[in-house]
Amino acid sequence: MKHRNVNDLIKSSLFLALAIVFQVVGKSFPGISQFFVGPAVNAILILTAIICGGTYGILVGSLTPLLAYLTGQLASALGPFIPFIIIGNILFVLSFIILSNRGKYGQYLGVIIGSFVKYIFLSISASKLIPLFELNIPTKIINKLVITMGIPQLITALIGGCFALIIIGVLRKRKVLI
């Protein structure tokens, strides 16, 4: 394995660990959890994609919901929805990667389009696909899921993406990143 790949693997592992820390801290504050953890995790996904590469951003996006579930940070009733969250994260990062190199405003466009793609996918998944697949999720949970996977997902993705771009700008200005 090349030296650069090892460095990127280590950095992405640290980003994943940081995402888990945000999830654990967020669990302590249930009322604001979604609007604290959501932007933090979305920022980490974009930071990982920019600093370590798109593949690592996708891997971290795939592992965060799974690890949140395994560590008890994600409600057990949401277990069947984990694949949809993983796909939503992949779509967010992938959209960002594809658009980020498109001109001066590519990264901003990537965050905006990626946020909308993630929101649309999760919203449709919660409202249409979960009932279609009959995943044994109680109706009360499905109703909450439809709300949670709606506009709040768009807001948290946009906020997290903006935070990530601000952080990247600061790191580039200070010449920590090239």
Side-chain angles (χ1 to χ4, degrees), residues 77-135:
L78 295 180
F81 199 72
I82 290 173
F84 298 100
I85 298 170
I86 291 171
I87 293 168
N89 286 345
I90 290 171
L91 291 171
F92 179 57
V93 174
L94 202 54
S95 298
F96 174 79
I97 294 165
I98 291 168
L99 295 168
S100 66
N101 295 324
R102 308 260 179 190
K104 184 177 179 181
Y105 300 105
Q107 289 186 335
Y108 300 104
L109 189 60
V111 166
I112 293 167
I113 299 296
S115 297
F116 273 99
V117 169
K118 179 178 182 176
Y119 151 69
I120 290 167
F121 175 77
L122 289 176
S123 182
I124 290 171
S125 296
S127 62
K128 306 289 184 220
L129 296 180
I130 291 295
L132 178 71
F133 292 142
E134 299 176 5
L135 294 175

Side-chain angles (χ1 to χ4, degrees), residues 148-171:
T148 304
M149 294 299 155
I151 294 294
Q153 289 299 317
L154 175 63
I155 294 167
T156 58
L158 287 169
I159 292 170
C162 289
F163 278 146
L165 295 181
I166 290 168
I167 292 167
I168 290 299
V170 169
L171 292 175

Side-chain angles (χ1 to χ4, degrees), residues 4-167:
R4 167 118 171 106
N5 290 345
V6 172
N7 284 339
D8 290 339
L9 180 62
I10 291 168
K11 288 176 195 171
S12 63
S13 299
L14 292 172
F15 279 125
L16 180 59
L18 186 59
I20 294 169
V21 167
F22 279 122
Q23 291 170 339
V24 169
V25 170
K27 178 94 169 164
S28 303
F29 304 100
I32 61 165
S33 178
Q34 184 172 14
F35 289 101
F36 170 74
V37 176
V41 171
N42 285 308
I44 287 170
L45 299 182
I46 298 300
L47 287 169
T48 306
I50 292 172
I51 294 171
C52 305
T55 303
Y56 291 107
I58 288 170
L59 286 172
V60 170
S62 298
L63 291 172
T64 50
L66 184 61
L67 291 173
Y69 179 74
L70 293 174
T71 59
Q73 305 311 311
L74 190 63
S76 59
L78 295 180
F81 199 72
I82 290 173
F84 298 100
I85 298 170
I86 291 171
I87 293 168
N89 286 345
I90 290 171
L91 291 171
F92 179 57
V93 174
L94 202 54
S95 298
F96 174 79
I97 294 165
I98 291 168
L99 295 168
S100 66
N101 295 324
R102 308 260 179 190
K104 184 177 179 181
Y105 300 105
Q107 289 186 335
Y108 300 104
L109 189 60
V111 166
I112 293 167
I113 299 296
S115 297
F116 273 99
V117 169
K118 179 178 182 176
Y119 151 69
I120 290 167
F121 175 77
L122 289 176
S123 182
I124 290 171
S125 296
S127 62
K128 306 289 184 220
L129 296 180
I130 291 295
L132 178 71
F133 292 142
E134 299 176 5
L135 294 175
N136 295 327
I137 299 176
T139 306
K140 182 180 175 184
I141 301 287
I142 290 175
N143 293 338
K144 282 181 105 176
L145 191 62
V146 168
I147 294 168
T148 304
M149 294 299 155
I151 294 294
Q153 289 299 317
L154 175 63
I155 294 167
T156 58
L158 287 169
I159 292 170
C162 289
F163 278 146
L165 295 181
I166 290 168
I167 292 167

